[in-house]
Amino acid sequence: MNTTSLVEDTIAFVKETLSDAEAGHDWFHTQRVFRNALLIAKDEKADVLVVSLGALLHDIADAKFHQGDETVGPKMARTFLSSLDVEKEVIEKVCYIIEHISFKNNIGENKNKTHPVELFVVQDADRLDAIGAIGIARAFHYGGFKNRTLYDPEIAPNLELSKEEYKNSKSPTINHFYEKLLLLKDKMNTKTGAKIALERHAFLLQYLEHFYSEWSGTQ
């Protein structure tokens, strides 16, 4: 199996499939996750092919754009990889990443639960794209896509959301910072991911400070 050609074919497939995707979950998001995953994988004993394919296909059919159906993404990935005669073991590992990567699917999960290192690498790369400057842009873009309020002082963040509550939340975008984005720094799995997350987390806090000062007119 020519891994270079396989990755190139996968990139072409993802670009075409996500050509009309919401901007926070489009090819450019996938490309950033792919690059970060390869960076993180350098310091981990991970299968680079599985990491590459997992990163490229992790959002091939995000459930929130498919009526909440979490089976669409793994099915699309499996069908595509099978068409290229990828080894069954590799396909299963990639699908495992797609099935377990999301934040909502880890709500309430036992912290000591073990997962393959390849999932941890891709998950960290995906989480990094949810924080920092790009993470802020993505949050507000998706909030606008869903016609959500920017901020409402009367609606407090819910820090005890269940998976179903998280999936169905319609709270203001600023609340999403507290319900997810600010939590990611302490949920990183790898040393490289955790190091990069520190700076991006600090930027989130700085942004919120400016946001509130501008909102209240005290800047």
Side-chain angles (χ1 to χ4, degrees):
M1 179 169 51
N2 187 320
T3 57
T4 300
S5 295
L6 175 56
V7 170
E8 290 177 349
D9 288 345
T10 304
I11 288 173
F13 171 70
V14 175
K15 280 185 176 181
E16 180 179 359
T17 304
L18 299 182
S19 60
D20 296 320
E22 181 267 331
H25 301 81
D26 60 0
W27 158 247
F28 294 112
H29 161 65
T30 297
Q31 184 181 54
R32 293 189 299 269
V33 172
F34 175 53
R35 289 171 175 170
N36 277 332
L38 292 181
L39 175 65
I40 294 170
K42 290 179 180 179
D43 296 322
E44 303 294 330
K45 295 180 180 179
D47 185 323
V48 176
L49 177 60
V50 172
V51 166
S52 298
L53 297 177
L56 289 169
L57 294 166
H58 83 280
D59 255 353
I60 196 62
D62 191 304
K64 58 180 162 285
F65 302 110
H66 291 82
Q67 294 76 50
D69 189 345
E70 298 180 16
T71 68
V72 179
K75 285 179 181 177
M76 285 184 65
R78 183 173 280 107
T79 298
F80 169 72
L81 294 175
S82 296
S83 73
L84 298 180
D85 294 325
V86 176
E87 295 176 9
K88 184 177 180 180
E89 182 180 359
V90 172
I91 294 176
E92 293 309 314
K93 288 180 179 179
V94 170
C95 288
Y96 186 91
I97 291 173
I98 298 170
E99 292 165 350
H100 293 83
I101 191 172
S102 74
F103 175 81
K104 68 179 181 300
N105 286 343
N106 290 271
I107 293 176
E109 181 179 271
N110 186 333
K111 289 184 178 180
N112 296 320
K113 184 174 181 178
T114 57
H115 290 292
V117 66
E118 289 80 13
L119 168 64
F120 288 147
V121 170
V122 179
Q123 191 173 62
D124 277 11
D126 188 40
R127 288 174 172 175
L128 286 175
D129 209 53
I131 55 179
I134 288 177
I136 292 171
R138 291 180 68 218
F140 281 107
H141 185 279
Y142 185 72
F145 177 78
K146 300 295 286 187
N147 198 31
R148 291 179 180 170
T149 305
L150 292 178
Y151 171 56
D152 187 338
E154 300 299 319
I155 303 177
N158 183 352
L159 303 182
E160 301 294 333
L161 288 171
S162 66
K163 177 180 176 179
E164 287 305 311
E165 288 173 330
Y166 179 85
K167 285 173 60 177
N168 298 315
S169 176
K170 297 179 181 179
S171 63
T173 298
I174 283 293
N175 288 25
H176 188 61
F177 282 66
Y178 300 93
E179 295 166 355
K180 177 182 177 181
L181 309 190
L182 290 170
L183 305 178
L184 296 180
K185 173 180 69 69
D186 295 327
K187 293 182 178 294
M188 304 303 287
N189 306 292
T190 66
K191 290 182 178 179
T192 302
K195 182 179 179 181
I196 298 172
L198 283 174
E199 182 178 357
R200 298 193 183 196
H201 180 83
F203 190 82
L204 291 180
L205 296 176
Q206 183 182 26
Y207 174 82
L208 287 171
E209 182 180 351
H210 280 270
F211 182 94
Y212 291 127
S213 67
E214 292 177 19
W215 184 276
S216 63
T218 59
Q219 74 276 15

